[in-house]
Amino acid sequence: MIPLPGETIRWEEAAGEVSLLDQTALPARVQRIRCRDVERLAEAIRRLEIRGAPALGLAGAYGVALAAARSREPDLPRFLAGVAESAELLRTTRPTAVNLSWGIDRVLARVRAARSVEEGRRVALTEAKAVAEEDALTCRRIGEHGAALLPDRCTVLTHCNAGALATSEWGTALGVVRSAVAAGKEIRVLACETRPLLQGARLTAWELVRDGIPVTVIVDSAAAALMQAKEVDCVIVGADRITRDAVFNKVGTYMHAVSARFHGIPFYVAAPHSTFDTGSTAADIVVEERDGDEIRFRGQEPVVPARAGVRNPAFDASPLALVSAIITEDGVMRPPYDFTAAGKRREAP
Amino acid sequence: MIPLPGETIRWEEAAGEVSLLDQTALPARVQRIRCRDVERLAEAIRRLEIRGAPALGLAGAYGVALAAARSREPDLPRFLAGVAESAELLRTTRPTAVNLSWGIDRVLARVRAARSVEEGRRVALTEAKAVAEEDALTCRRIGEHGAALLPDRCTVLTHCNAGALATSEWGTALGVVRSAVAAGKEIRVLACETRPLLQGARLTAWELVRDGIPVTVIVDSAAAALMQAKEVDCVIVGADRITRDAVFNKVGTYMHAVSARFHGIPFYVAAPHSTFDTGSTAADIVVEERDGDEIRFRGQEPVVPARAGVRNPAFDASPLALVSAIITEDGVMRPPYDFTAAGKRREAP
């Protein structure tokens, strides 16, 4: 297991631009996308060329740095106004993952405190890189705390991708798996393919195969039957937003939470504090409804009759009552969850 | 709603062959496949060009009639041996749905009682057509009994396709919906797309759109979240085999059964007596494991890395404890299920 810093997203020093691994091309092609301006980065976020809550935090942070670097505005107030405008463009690309706004706001705060355009550019980039470095460290800590929960020779079921590709490196849910493997445990992963965009089949399987960790892909709806057959020891997923009462994550997560509870299997969430939004409740959160064409077409082929309706919510909300533990960089939280410290940390990063 | 007798599968008098609607081409293309011999019909079953438990019963029945019609053997014992050999070829195409064997055995019994080759051919075809006609009547009765369970203005969630395309016409689970609509009720259907082969998106949506019944397609894993949002009034599915202790149906059915129980939503199974195998328990049944390429590829594009494992069970088993009612042609069975009469009927068709 070789961590590859900056593989998911990084600042390209020579070109002064952001590059990211094109997650829509995997596993067939490994190719990078170069974002010369914020518009292209915003497009990359909308198209899910980069996705995953912590990685979206990095995209937000680098996006503000990119806006600052690209600005040709010599006047500080107008420079700041332009950067703020770019920040809002980025913020509206995806509504549910809280980390995107978190990354944007963190860098924006530094830029706003700058006394010159030059300083604004410099502190933006420094802060964005700091966000990425901290994320790498955060994932390692999540991994170490979570690894203690996994017995040797166990099978972990996961949904979507909460791995290196969803973070700066190492991953959250898959970070727990990686740290357990690094500690000498034999861990097998059941990766739910994750319809409609197959992040589990395409991304989770790809990064685990590369690390030599045994991974088996199943259709999402087979998870409950494998739990029934006692082939799943625990479920670990990431999170896009954790409110006071629920974990928002890729649609299907709630189904696994219900099945895990029914079968008496632990259901763990691995997420950094930047995912916490404990000032909100589930009812406050907008769940992104994505384009129905993601379901209507398989490649170019229509698989749903044109006159049928389609609903394509990207996320669902698992009540905390179904969550056995939340693994953060500070340790393992158990019910009843006390978010006092987490909330403070979130408000004052 | 116009029933189309013989649309799913029928005997073509002029050509002396079996024709069936190619269910792998829908909804993009409506085309029929002509099976001149049992080998082509067996291939159609393996490829899922025809599928659905009751429709497989018809395919088995027509398959034996086709073998009898095509035999060039003038000697009765050798004619019977040849037909029996073809029957075994058909029987091994798919192991889980019990109706396939049921349809084969029903026609085979008639052929074996024949006193001449000519009579064998005649009774085989007569019996196969009788199986199809009875199935149509059976579905109507299932529909009428089940319709009484549906309140007006309700939303039914279903998985895979247990509709006209899975039977001779009208359907089992969708037969219940059709009969409720015919009785003047407003019914909406949530069709789970049903990975990996999308029978819900492709077939259920196609036949409901054609009938003007509102249908919305969702990814399978969104079902639990819609139950949580109180958007599902009940679940109705078909069955491939009902043992003394469980309902075998398309993988994913068990997940819906668990979620329905968790949310206090009725979970109904609609199936004819030909689906009952109450002499067996779930542990006796072989669950078909289909080719992993159904998951590995999206059209031509690989979506799972070659070195990752894949598991592709076609069915799962929902314990009867999770089933609110079984709707058969004889009425609505409620727990605790007493299969004494059903078992007798199954043994002496």
Side-chain angles (χ1 to χ4, degrees):
Chain A
M1 277 178 299
I2 307 145
L4 295 162
E7 186 180 39
T8 306
I9 182 168
R10 66 175 172 248
W11 183 257
E12 300 284 351
E13 297 293 347
E17 62 192 26
V18 174
S19 86
L20 48 94
L21 189 62
D22 180 359
Q23 300 197 23
T24 64
L26 292 172
R29 295 179 307 284
V30 180
Q31 62 193 32
R32 296 192 73 79
I33 292 171
R34 311 196 73 145
C35 300
R36 303 203 159 185
D37 51 40
V38 170
E39 287 70 23
R40 180 64 188 91
L41 182 59
E43 198 180 334
I45 297 170
R46 273 192 298 264
R47 288 185 188 168
L48 310 195
E49 289 161 348
I50 183 166
R51 29 63 52 201
L56 288 176
L58 272 59
Y62 277 126
V64 176
L66 181 63
R70 289 284 154 181
S71 171
R72 293 282 158 271
E73 186 56 67
D75 175 61
L76 183 61
R78 285 159 72 178
F79 166 80
L80 292 177
V83 171
E85 197 182 318
S86 294
E88 293 322 300
L89 170 69
L90 287 167
R91 198 192 302 278
T92 56
T93 49
R94 299 198 68 196
T96 309
V98 70
N99 316 56
L100 176 62
S101 276
W102 173 87
I104 290 168
D105 289 335
R106 200 171 133 170
V107 177
L108 207 52
R110 293 299 179 109
V111 177
R112 280 185 176 137
R115 285 151 303 180
S116 70
V117 169
E118 185 45 48
E119 187 190 340
R121 289 200 185 103
R122 188 163 36 77
V123 296
L125 188 55
T126 305
E127 187 69 10
K129 288 178 179 171
V131 167
E133 279 160 27
E134 285 171 28
D135 181 71
L137 194 61
T138 293
C139 285
R140 293 303 182 115
R141 287 188 178 143
I142 289 173
E144 278 157 31
H145 291 304
L149 299 175
L150 300 190
D152 192 13
R153 297 196 183 83
C154 81
T155 299
V156 173
L157 183 134
T158 191
H159 192 71
C160 199
N161 173 267
L165 294 169
T167 60
S168 95
E169 58 180 70
W170 208 247
T172 51
L174 297 188
V176 171
V177 170
R178 285 195 165 91
S179 293
V181 171
K185 293 178 184 173
E186 272 181 46
I187 312 286
R188 301 186 158 267
V189 174
L190 280 171
C192 293
E193 61 172 4
T194 314
R195 284 284 294 158
L197 294 175
L198 304 175
Q199 292 94 336
R202 296 192 298 102
L203 308 179
T204 293
W206 182 77
E207 60 171 83
L208 291 177
V209 156
R210 193 169 63 163
D211 274 3
I213 298 173
V215 57
T216 299
V217 176
I218 58 171
V219 296
D220 306 323
S221 76
L226 289 175
M227 291 183 193
Q228 182 192 40
K230 303 194 187 304
E231 297 193 34
V232 179
D233 295 301
C234 69
V235 179
I236 314 181
V237 294
D240 291 86
R241 187 187 290 248
I242 298 174
T243 61
R244 209 153 58 223
D245 53 351
V247 173
F248 285 77
N249 193 47
K250 176 63 57 198
V251 70
T253 301
Y254 174 61
M255 166 188 80
H256 297 311
V258 168
S259 295
R261 172 58 50 97
F262 185 82
H263 294 95
I265 294 167
F267 178 85
Y268 300 127
V269 173
H273 281 290
S274 59
T275 312
F276 284 51
D277 176 23
T278 51
S280 302
T281 63
D284 302 325
I285 305 308
V286 175
V287 168
E288 179 183 3
E289 180 94 16
R290 293 186 57 84
D291 191 336
D293 283 358
E294 291 178 356
I295 295 175
R296 288 185 181 280
F297 291 88
R298 183 169 59 186
Q300 301 298 313
E301 181 201 3
V303 291
V304 173
R307 284 185 294 150
V310 161
R311 288 185 57 187
N312 188 18
F315 303 95
D316 60 27
S318 300
L320 290 184
L322 295 178
V323 178
S324 310
I326 301 175
I327 308 158
T328 77
E329 61 269 43
D330 287 346
V332 176
M333 303 174 73
R334 293 280 191 179
Y337 296 103
D338 175 7
F339 291 125
T340 323
K344 273 197 195 117
R345 188 158 172 161
R346 166 89 187 90
E347 278 145 34
Chain B
M1 277 177 300
I2 306 147
L4 295 162
E7 186 179 38
T8 306
I9 182 168
R10 67 175 171 246
W11 183 259
E12 301 283 352
E13 296 293 346
E17 61 192 28
V18 173
S19 87
L20 47 93
L21 189 62
D22 180 359
Q23 300 197 23
T24 63
L26 292 172
R29 294 179 309 285
V30 181
Q31 62 193 31
R32 296 192 73 80
I33 291 170
R34 311 196 74 147
C35 301
R36 302 204 160 184
D37 51 39
V38 170
E39 287 69 24
R40 181 64 188 89
L41 182 60
E43 199 181 332
I45 296 171
R46 273 191 299 264
R47 289 184 186 169
L48 309 195
E49 289 162 347
I50 183 166
R51 29 62 54 202
L56 289 175
L58 272 58
Y62 278 126
V64 175
L66 180 63
R70 289 282 153 183
S71 172
R72 292 281 159 271
E73 186 56 66
D75 175 61
L76 183 61
R78 287 158 73 177
F79 166 80
L80 292 176
V83 172
E85 198 183 317
S86 294
E88 292 322 299
L89 171 69
L90 287 167
R91 197 191 302 278
T92 56
T93 48
R94 297 197 70 197
T96 309
V98 70
N99 316 56
L100 176 61
S101 276
W102 174 86
I104 290 168
D105 289 335
R106 199 170 135 171
V107 177
L108 207 52
R110 293 299 179 111
V111 177
R112 281 186 174 137
R115 284 151 303 177
S116 69
V117 169
E118 183 47 46
E119 188 190 340
R121 290 199 185 107
R122 189 163 35 78
V123 297
L125 188 54
T126 304
E127 188 69 10
K129 287 179 181 173
V131 167
E133 278 161 28
E134 284 171 29
D135 181 71
L137 193 61
T138 294
C139 286
R140 293 303 180 115
R141 286 188 179 145
I142 290 172
E144 278 157 31
H145 291 304
L149 299 175
L150 300 190
D152 192 14
R153 296 197 184 82
C154 81
T155 299
V156 173
L157 183 134
T158 191
H159 192 70
C160 198
N161 173 267
L165 294 169
T167 60
S168 93
E169 57 178 71
W170 207 248
T172 52
L174 297 189
V176 171
V177 170
R178 287 196 165 92
S179 293
V181 171
K185 293 177 183 172
E186 270 182 46
I187 312 286
R188 301 187 156 268
V189 174
L190 282 170
C192 293
E193 62 172 4
T194 315
R195 284 283 295 159
L197 294 176
L198 305 175
Q199 292 92 336
R202 296 191 299 101
L203 308 180
T204 293
W206 182 78
E207 61 172 84
L208 291 177
V209 157
R210 195 169 62 162
D211 274 2
I213 298 173
V215 56
T216 299
V217 176
I218 57 172
V219 297
D220 306 322
S221 76
L226 290 176
M227 290 183 194
Q228 182 192 39
K230 301 192 188 308
E231 297 193 35
V232 178
D233 296 300
C234 70
V235 179
I236 313 182
V237 294
D240 290 85
R241 188 187 288 248
I242 299 174
T243 61
R244 210 153 57 222
D245 52 352
V247 172
F248 285 78
N249 193 47
K250 176 63 56 200
V251 69
T253 301
Y254 175 61
M255 164 188 83
H256 297 311
V258 168
S259 295
R261 172 57 53 96
F262 185 83
H263 293 94
I265 293 168
F267 178 84
Y268 300 127
V269 173
H273 280 290
S274 58
T275 311
F276 284 51
D277 175 23
T278 51
S280 303
T281 62
D284 302 325
I285 305 308
V286 176
V287 169
E288 179 183 2
E289 181 94 15
R290 293 185 57 85
D291 190 337
D293 283 358
E294 292 178 355
I295 295 174
R296 288 185 182 280
F297 291 88
R298 184 169 58 186
Q300 301 298 311
E301 181 200 3
V303 290
V304 174
R307 284 186 293 149
V310 161
R311 287 185 56 187
N312 188 18
F315 303 95
D316 60 26
S318 300
L320 289 183
L322 295 178
V323 178
S324 310
I326 302 175
I327 307 159
T328 76
E329 61 268 43
D330 288 345
V332 176
M333 303 174 75
R334 293 281 191 178
Y337 296 102
D338 174 6
F339 291 124
T340 321
K344 273 198 194 115
R345 190 160 171 154
R346 166 92 187 87
E347 279 145 34

